[in-house]
Amino acid sequence: MSTLRRVLLVVAALLLAIPLAPPASAAPVLVWSDEFDGPSGTKPNSAKWAYDIGNGSGGWGNNELEAYTNKTSNVALNGSGQLVITARRENSGMACWNGGNCQYTSGKLTTYNKIGWTYGRIETRMKLPYGQGIWPAFWMLGANIGQVGWPNCGEIDIMENIGREPNTVHGTIHGPGYSGAGGIGAARQNGQAWSAAYHTFSINWTANKIQWLVDGTVYQTRTPADLGGRTWVFNNKFYLIMNLAVGGQWPGNPDGSTQFPQQLGIDYVRVYQG
């Protein structure tokens, strides 16, 4: 055997002995976003967002006191790259569940009938409002709600905060047999009020698993094993909602300490997949 051939055989043997590293997984791809760039006082992109209007059925099912509008006094870009949803104490001129007209106005945006997703990293950067009876939320509903109703469609609450808990945000899932007060979730505490600065709230959502994150740190994971045999309804298409409610069964109503107007600042909303 020639010396060259002997060297080639040794090199080949050494290469075969080296374990191959697994291929690097592809980074998630940004598939949809809104950065809320635009002139101050303008409405959000109507190709991406729709409005819910009024007080809904039974105060959106929660005895809420606000009437949602599509007015720029309640929902508008601020000209600095953020969308601002503003809750105001004023006569809405719209009927409230408890009789008369709702005495608060605010905003609620949704991607219903525009776009939805199955799985991904769903993320927003927000600065929360504060005060008794104030209830901001960033959440998702199953796109089949029109066919199966709630809670069978499923609900993923990515972030909720109630004003009497200024240092606490909640992440929760709701579905058949685990809805309302029976939703399954956890809270994340902060050393200062969430209203003091912008924070990033997100979920990592895959088949049969949802993780909740604040500022990039996972604080909760849910899988079908958490449901005690009840049905996991989170492998379907969901759409986004963000709103600023006033009053309701969970947060309670505003009182003399609550200051208005209150504002929910949204720096961006982004959806990654892959």
Side-chain angles (χ1 to χ4, degrees), residues 55-229:
N55 191 238
S57 174
W60 299 104
N62 303 304
N63 293 352
E64 298 168 30
L65 298 178
E66 82 291 330
Y68 291 126
T69 84
N70 59 2
K71 298 177 181 178
T72 54
S73 57
N74 294 119
V75 183
L77 305 182
N78 67 1
S80 298
Q82 289 87 35
L83 175 72
V84 180
I85 299 178
T86 303
R88 301 181 181 277
R89 181 187 281 130
E90 60 184 358
N91 187 338
S92 68
M94 288 185 274
C96 220
W97 69 272
N98 58 357
N101 290 333
C102 290
Q103 297 302 302
Y104 302 90
T105 62
S106 190
K108 182 180 183 181
L109 294 178
T110 170
T111 67
Y112 184 60
N113 279 341
K114 291 184 179 290
I115 194 169
W117 305 270
T118 305
Y119 312 138
R121 182 183 183 98
I122 318 296
E123 182 173 285
T124 188
R125 185 170 180 263
M126 290 180 163
K127 185 176 182 183
L128 304 189
Y130 63 92
Q132 169 59 36
I134 303 300
W135 184 8
F138 180 67
W139 50 301
M140 305 182 80
L141 283 172
N144 61 348
I145 188 169
Q147 291 74 50
V148 303
W150 184 92
N152 290 341
C153 64
E155 175 179 327
I156 305 170
D157 298 324
I158 301 171
M159 184 288 302
E160 290 185 284
N161 166 260
I162 54 175
R164 68 171 182 264
E165 299 176 345
N167 294 47
T168 305
V169 292
H170 299 264
T172 314
I173 52 174
H174 302 267
Y178 51 102
S179 62
I184 296 170
R188 170 70 182 227
Q189 307 295 327
N190 195 38
Q192 63 178 354
W194 294 105
S195 60
Y198 276 88
H199 294 275
T200 302
F201 305 100
S202 56
I203 57 169
N204 286 331
W205 172 29
T206 57
N208 296 322
K209 186 168 85 170
I210 304 173
Q211 295 178 317
W212 282 257
L213 304 88
V214 173
D215 295 328
T217 299
V218 175
Y219 73 93
Q220 173 186 200
T221 302
R222 296 295 170 184
T223 71
D226 293 299
L227 302 187

Side-chain angles (χ1 to χ4, degrees), residues 116-120 140 205 234-238 273:
W117 305 270
T118 305
Y119 312 138
M140 305 182 80
W205 172 29
F234 307 103
N235 292 332
N236 301 308
K237 182 179 288 188
F238 278 64
Q273 290 184 323

